[in-house]
Amino acid sequence: MFVFSSRASVPFAGAFFTPSGLSGTALIQTLARLSRDLSISSPLQRRNSRSLLRCIKILSTFFESLFESELSPSSSSSADLCFKELYVLVYRAKALLHCCSHSGRLWLLIQSHRVSGYFHDLCREIYTLLDILPLGDFKNLAGETREQIELLRRQLRESKLFFDPHEESLRRMVFSFLDGFENGCVPDQGELREAFIQRLGIRSASACRAEVDFLEERIHVDDREDDDADPATLSAMAALARYSRFALFGFQEDEVDRNGRTLKKGVVSRELAEQSLSIPKDFCCPVSLDLMRDPVIISSGQTYDRESISRWLEDGHCTCPNSGQTLNHTRLVPNRALRSLISRWCAANSIAYDSPETGSEIAAAAASSKAAAGATRATVDLLVRLLSSGSDEAKTVAVRELRFLAKTGKDNRACIANAGAIPFLHLLLRSSNPIAQENTVTAILNLSILDKNKDLIMSEHGCLRSIVSVLRNGWTAEARENAAATLFSLSAIHDYKKMIMAEPGAVEALAELLTIGSSRGKKDAVTALFNLSTHPESGEKMVSSGAVSALVSALGMEGVAEEAAGALAMLMRQVVVASEVGKEDKVVAGLVRLMRSGSPRAKENAVAALNEMCRSGGAAMTKRVANTPALGALIQTLLFTGTKRARRKAASLARMCQRCETVPATMALAGGWGIEYVLGRSSTMARGGGGGGGGGPDVPVAGLVAISVPVL
């Protein structure tokens, strides 16, 4: 928060207090040093800035004169108090001048009335201190300096609040651009040039980007004051600046080198740095993959964002999107505990998190954001034209900007797709420029989060094949990983799972990425394989492509074991997979290890996988599992401490193992499995969830592993 006045809620260090122990000559010296070397560089608030700067320079001369003449105020307690208060005011004046020089100019323009008020407040407070300052205590003060202070005091007494009429006209002009966007009209090129280049001094594409960055940062501040600009206005201004970047400056050669790499210390590098803060998967909606704002629970026990699941139900669906289970009812129960956790995580990471809005608030927000939507549409039209007919360098810049726009908001994703960007993005997937290819596949990933865009991507002839090609032979590791994440996103639609598995090399490439990829690459691969494994006809393809073997190996990999166990649990419902998995000795050992030391979800998926393995593999497989050392104790522990689903699966597994003829001697000595009492207490639960051999209906593992891929 910028320190403008005493109304500021979060002050800079030293803004409202004098350093302890500072008084007398040392205080005067500090004041003299603090008031030196001030300057202004913004074309806005020029008159107010010059007036305050002149005031501080006169005070600086006064402080220098006192210090050089060794005129200490220590003999006067009132003078010493005035100088301590002046320290605070000089510090705030310096902060205000610095802010006006370094803030975004569009932001400063829309805050012009407020900032003018800060200038006036400071001048009045300085006058009050000078009025009570006992100048008579400094007998040897130079007459010229004394006259300057007296003159400054009179000028400050007569100062009035000043609003620059030229800034007012510029402000009205800029807001007229927003009104035009709201009504579907693009601003006149000449007026836009006058406002941005001639009057605001925004003379380059990089300056426009700096304006966008500043405005978007202000949108997400947590300590917004009551009189700060509302997020809708800031968002509209950011969209205007983004449009102006291309409308006024087009493509500038100084932004990328011959290979299309950004010279300004890599936009891509900055993006990758931003990815270091990944949203916890349990906080993301399984449908939209976005951070949940209003999490609700449906009858299957799954949690979704209210907006996403409501749209799903309104479209006529009567099943859980993630598990496919038929819903008993369509009531939505707020998940207040999860909402609280998300809110705390957002606060800890300085991410804005708004509570659910009422219908009237949503309508008001929609109306106020029309200007931003109009500016975004105009920007997207420019960018798509660059993709269709621009140079290779221009296409690189355009696809990078589209990636940014598709990063947040379903409206942006819909706008980009509706403008016809997907066919051109498809062509750019084949680019020989590594940065262009990486940004392109990531843009497609971000667009695919919107279900309607999934249809457009999959219906674009050859687009799926190109995505798989990037997955197999992409120029950068990031491109290959994001291609895997794109396949996961597309496979959220049931019919597309089979199409992806039928694409030559797709599943094989995912299996290879899971085996030899980076930590992030393995995560992207296992989530994609997990989603594909939920298709009932996926077994043979998963076996023949090596995906099952890769998932088995992943049971011992940190970070992906949980999802690998979940995928295996789904796949082992099919006899062909259970038979193949039964040949590998390390499968049972890996699943038992997860039951012993994994997370609650990992334990749940592991026992579910063993349960499905026994059910599909027959008596021989069940005997083999039952003979595993320590399995009985682990099942007993899960029956007491596991999740609801883990307890059901553990009960089912225990019953199948008890029916085996062969029981390890160690278990026999201990009284068999020794869990009859636990099973008895769990019988009702087991009957409701697939106990007694697993004959009853159950919730698939997919319903418990909420996997999401963050937008990039």
Side-chain angles (χ1 to χ4, degrees), residues 460-496:
E460 174 66 22
H461 181 69
C463 189
L464 176 60
R465 181 158 299 179
S466 296
I467 294 170
V468 173
S469 178
V470 174
L471 171 63
R472 299 176 64 186
N473 304 303
W475 292 109
T476 67
E478 289 78 14
R480 295 191 293 274
E481 291 163 359
N482 290 347
T486 304
L487 294 183
F488 164 69
S489 177
L490 293 171
S491 63
I493 304 298
H494 181 76
D495 292 342
Y496 297 157

Side-chain angles (χ1 to χ4, degrees), residues 151-222:
L151 178 61
L152 176 61
R153 185 157 50 187
R154 289 195 298 270
Q155 291 174 340
L156 291 176
R157 182 179 60 202
E158 298 171 359
S159 66
K160 297 180 180 179
L161 180 63
F162 175 74
F163 299 126
D164 191 326
H166 297 290
E167 286 186 27
E168 282 296 295
S169 66
L170 177 58
R171 191 170 184 269
R172 287 193 295 270
M173 177 184 287
V174 169
F175 274 97
S176 72
F177 297 155
L178 300 185
D179 291 339
F181 279 127
E182 190 168 339
N183 295 316
C185 300
V186 175
D188 177 75
Q189 196 83 352
E191 292 182 355
L192 198 65
R193 183 175 298 276
E194 177 189 352
F196 272 74
I197 298 178
Q198 298 174 14
R199 302 181 67 176
L200 283 171
I202 302 173
R203 298 187 174 92
S204 67
S206 59
C208 276
R209 178 167 291 282
E211 291 290 321
V212 174
D213 292 343
F214 188 92
L215 289 164
E216 290 184 341
E217 179 183 347
R218 295 302 303 166
I219 292 172
H220 297 105
V221 296
D222 292 328

